């Protein structure tokens, strides 16, 4: 394992930037999170007119500061990564690029409003510190429960969308354009607003028949929410029982520890905990 | 099993149209789904005034194209079905007929708006590809759980409707016609809007007493949603445990496989999976 | 058990009126339910102005017909009951009386609007046919689960009301009377509208700080709904498991039958089923 | 244990004020609760203009009466507490102080509105009678379930806030200031109003694209509510099973009693019950 000094430096940089185990690595991640949160907060605050008018110049300066930091970080990651192309194409690589691109694009297309959306993606970089979750994915109860129930949930949403379309068509015919149901898309919008129990009230049924169908829509929405909850709850319960059965002490290999247990009840060894 | 050539052709057609096992059958189902989705999308888009004014003629042509396809499909199904009358009377037969009727009816009663509703039923034909679910109905956890809990859920809705009626009457008396509670049906509409936590805000209590009763109504609605969720969740959990106990390998007949298991843990044979 | 002819007639009447086992008893209950539903529907429909103006006289006549029927029923119940005073004081006795009183009171105080509320109580008489539930009360999973969890649910509502009051006070101070928060009761009303996710929109926060606190209120309301659902679901699951363990065949006394089982799996005897 | 008469008096006072076991202690707690509820009700009622104008003077007098009572209580607690400084610094000590401070502060800064908030904290003193819960904290199923699931719930809220921010930014760009989305904070407010299914309707999307994204937001909010419910329900179920396994008779030490059991099924000794 004799490395050139350059290789050694690269290796060390990689540990700091990509790793989370060394103090330097943790410090790097922490300062990055602070920068991300601050830069996103800046983007948000900048949209308030009074703030923009008074502190607009300061915000632009800070904005360029953060862009500089993130550009430096992106270049360092590219430099010290073992597989630069692979990194650039990975989800995080794309997110990293997207978080600096808008600022440079803003130089070319000044005042472009759509860059705001892309800038928000900068927040997604906070997910990077969550990469430790990757090692836990096998044991991740929540994720497994959701995948187990994905077919049932898909069928549920398929049925809901059929109900929504039928109800939308009926309401469109019953209420008509004069009461705000000007088109089928608008009617579908109303039905979703109603069936999810959001209920803006920007479009409301005016006829007695329409109000009756609306009441039916609400009751459907109110009761079918029990279905995904029931499915997911049962799956999570199952996963928890299975998890408990499989949880093994890494020292004495005894299995069947409680999910909440911190130490092996046979040899006292600390147990690994995950999400 | 010697068949006339006509019989053989019928049999082959039946496999393509009613079956889902052959490549041709799957291709037929897929093109049908595409046609259904497109024709329904067309119906929806046609209700937008600007689209109707600009592309109205094209939509009418496409509409007749789809009607032709669905008419052909209906006639083919009638022709190759083993029991044409039985098919015509079945749920899917009626849906198939309903999906072509409106277009022809529109020729006789031009501009009839109510045909829109019937045209939406065309989407129901997408359920046909779901007929494979029929073979799974015995093991369908969701359906069994819902049937198991139907009595409890009925009692729940009966109690809710009693609460709704009493609260409606109280609010009608307390608020009165001058605050929008012009009649009992309107008051029931308001109560359902409130108890399901939809809350349009088109009718709101104005008096302090009315707002107090409204707050009570909301809290009732907010807490009783736990009841159907609780019932259904418990039933689904029970069904899952039972399902697991009964799951049998078709090769070695070993029972008690996990719901998520893909292979028999005794002989390695692939297990059947269903919803 | 020698009875006078009068006693025998009383006994027979009692079987018809209070019983549900004989065909006559079932027929009596059914006609009563029809009368109740019709008379309640009449009360509801009468509140619609256009209906009242056109059919007001007919409704008044039908109203008196139903009052006559219910008065006769009440007197018969009093007459044939084994303990008339006890019946008159029971829940159902009071409901029966309340269902005829308003009509007679309306003669004395004409146009009294508050009688509407009492008339709705007439519907509560439909609960009488539910008296068969009484024999099932011991095994009633839902009721036991709710009673088991009543202490937890009380604590939940106590905590919620504390949160509501604190948030109401804060919003009252932050938004003030100029944005619709004219008094603490109004502010509490707003908080309940928000925390139950009803969201009428008749009072909405206007200041940025107020909108922030409102967003927090919504998130609290959105997440704490999980608590009563979780409590009740767990209790129902527990009750179901216990119920299954205790379910006994009345023939061979074998215990431990599935909740959904219809026949004893040892001797084939039909099992009793309840809610 | 020979004490000076003063010590003995202090000890007795402590039993009355801090204790809940003696009749005097219970009587003290009860009168305190009545005072707290009354004084809070007074604060609430005082905010209604018509009440304030008519009974303002009486309310001020009663206010000072309650302040006197609570001041006396605070001083007595300080006096008879074994560790006065520790009490003064404890949560309840701070709450006790906060419940009398506003009235005195109101003398110095007349008409200060912010004291209302602090006065509401007076209600928190009702929690003091809940201190018996402290002895139950180990067995508290609800609290343990919530702590067990806190990591999952945190991750859930973290994901939700990311979704909220992305959707807010998209809506801000799509709808723009002319439809009420005047700034990112306002857009976030709208997204939370929508995703929690509150739906005030004070800001609603006007463009078709905006309504489509709004419909998506609602469906996300409608379905993800299943996740915390599922997590908490499973944890509560687990805790209940564990609790049952660990429940021990204090007489014969037999373990494994039902959560709902009142007596030991081996020796008939009364079992301790808790939340």
């Amino acid at each position: 394992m004799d490395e050139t000094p350059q290789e050694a430096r690269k290796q060390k940089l990689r540990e700091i930037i990509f790793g989370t185990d060394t103090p330097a690595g943790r410090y790097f991640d922490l300062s990055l999170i602070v920068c991300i949160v601050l830069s996103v907060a800046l983007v948000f605050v900048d949209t308030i007119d009074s703030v923009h008018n008074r502190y607009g110049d300061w915000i632009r300066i800070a904005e360029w500061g953060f862009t500089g930091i993130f550009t430096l970080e992106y270049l360092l990651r590219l430099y010290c990564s073992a597989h630069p192309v692979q990194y650039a194409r990975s989800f995080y690589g794309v997110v990293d690029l997207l978080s600096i691109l808008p600022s440079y694009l803003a130089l070319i297309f000044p005042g472009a409003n759509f860059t705001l959306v892309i800038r928000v993606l900068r927040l997604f970089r906070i997910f990077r510190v969550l990469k430790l979750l990757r090692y836990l994915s096998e044991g991740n109860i929540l994720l497994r429960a959701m995948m187990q129930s994905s077919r049932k949930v898909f069928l549920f949403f398929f049925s809901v969308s059929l109900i929504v379309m039928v109800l939308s068509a009926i309401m469109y015919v019953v209420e008509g354009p004069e009461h705000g149901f000007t088109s089928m898309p608008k009617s579908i919008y109303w039905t979703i607003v109603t069936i999810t129990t959001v209920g803006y009230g920007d479009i409301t049924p005016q006829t007695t028949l329409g109000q009756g169908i609306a009441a039916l829509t609400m009751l459907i929405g109110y009761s079918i929410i029990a279905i995904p909850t029931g499915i997911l709850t049962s799956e999570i319960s199952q996963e928890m029982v299975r998890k408990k059965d499989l949880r093994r002490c890494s020292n004495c290999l005894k299995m069947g520890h409680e999910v909440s247990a911190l130490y092996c009840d046979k040899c006292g060894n600390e147990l690994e905990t995950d999400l």
Side-chain angles (χ1 to χ4, degrees), chain A:
Chain A
M1 295 287 201
D2 56 338
E3 294 165 326
T4 63
Q6 206 198 355
E7 270 302 299
R9 210 175 53 213
K10 244 188 181 176
Q11 175 67 28
K12 215 187 151 190
L13 253 174
R14 200 181 303 152
E15 264 169 26
I16 294 172
I17 294 176
F18 284 96
T20 54
D21 303 328
T22 60
R26 262 183 239 124
Y27 182 78
F28 178 83
D29 282 340
L30 200 69
S31 14
L32 208 59
I33 292 168
V34 170
C35 283
I36 293 162
V37 169
L38 280 178
S39 70
V40 169
L42 224 60
V43 172
F44 282 14
V45 157
D46 196 30
T47 63
I48 306 168
D49 274 353
S50 60
V51 172
H52 182 76
N53 292 337
R54 209 187 283 180
Y55 305 105
D57 292 335
W58 292 102
I59 288 171
R60 213 165 310 145
I61 291 167
E63 183 56 40
W64 278 110
F66 286 122
T67 306
I69 292 168
F70 294 138
T71 309
L72 188 69
E73 181 220 344
Y74 184 60
L75 295 176
L76 277 175
R77 275 184 197 274
L78 270 182
Y79 168 72
C80 73
S81 168
H83 309 276
V85 178
Q86 202 172 311
Y87 161 71
R89 282 183 178 176
S90 73
F91 174 71
Y92 294 121
V94 171
V95 168
D96 285 348
L97 186 63
L98 279 174
S99 71
I100 51 171
L101 259 188
S103 305
Y104 294 113
L105 284 174
L107 281 182
I108 312 170
F109 315 105
N113 212 3
F114 70 90
T115 59
L116 178 82
V117 179
I118 308 174
R119 269 190 250 173
V120 171
L121 290 168
R122 194 172 281 167
L123 194 77
F124 272 10
R125 314 203 329 164
I126 217 169
F127 270 126
R128 190 173 298 134
V129 254
L130 293 177
K131 62 188 163 201
L132 56 149
L133 280 176
R134 251 181 295 199
Y135 307 106
L136 307 171
S137 62
E138 275 244 332
N140 192 324
I141 287 175
L142 207 54
L143 213 72
R144 276 198 69 180
M146 276 197 273
M147 277 191 297
Q148 292 278 355
S149 51
S150 61
R151 261 184 82 191
K152 280 182 215 125
V153 169
F154 168 77
L155 206 88
F156 169 72
F157 271 106
F158 183 78
S159 319
V160 168
S161 60
L162 279 178
I163 295 170
V164 164
M165 267 183 277
V166 173
L167 286 169
S168 300
I170 294 169
M171 285 304 280
Y172 175 67
V173 174
V174 168
E175 290 285 328
E178 63 274 22
H179 295 148
F181 295 78
T182 49
S183 65
M184 269 306 289
K186 204 128 205 165
S187 195
I188 291 175
Y189 165 71
W190 173 87
T191 312
I192 291 176
V193 166
T194 302
I195 216 166
T196 57
T197 77
V198 169
Y200 282 138
D202 51 349
I203 310 170
T204 53
Q206 305 296 326
T207 64
T208 304
L209 181 57
Q211 289 178 344
I213 299 164
L216 185 74
T217 310
M218 289 162 209
L219 288 173
I220 291 172
Y222 187 65
S223 37
I224 56 179
I225 200 167
I227 297 173
T229 307
I231 295 168
L232 197 67
T233 303
S234 304
E235 292 288 356
I236 292 176
S237 292
Q238 293 262 324
E239 286 299 320
M240 277 182 168
V241 170
R242 192 174 314 155
K243 179 86 171 300
K244 183 184 151 191
D245 291 348
L246 293 180
R247 203 168 173 216
R248 182 156 50 174
C249 169
S250 60
N251 185 38
C252 69
L253 302 182
K254 183 193 174 285
M255 288 174 88
H257 291 95
E258 295 270 331
V259 175
S260 62
L262 296 175
Y263 297 95
C264 174
D265 55 5
K266 196 176 160 201
C267 71
N269 188 39
E270 197 166 346
L271 293 167
E272 285 170 51
T273 49
D274 51 41
L275 187 67

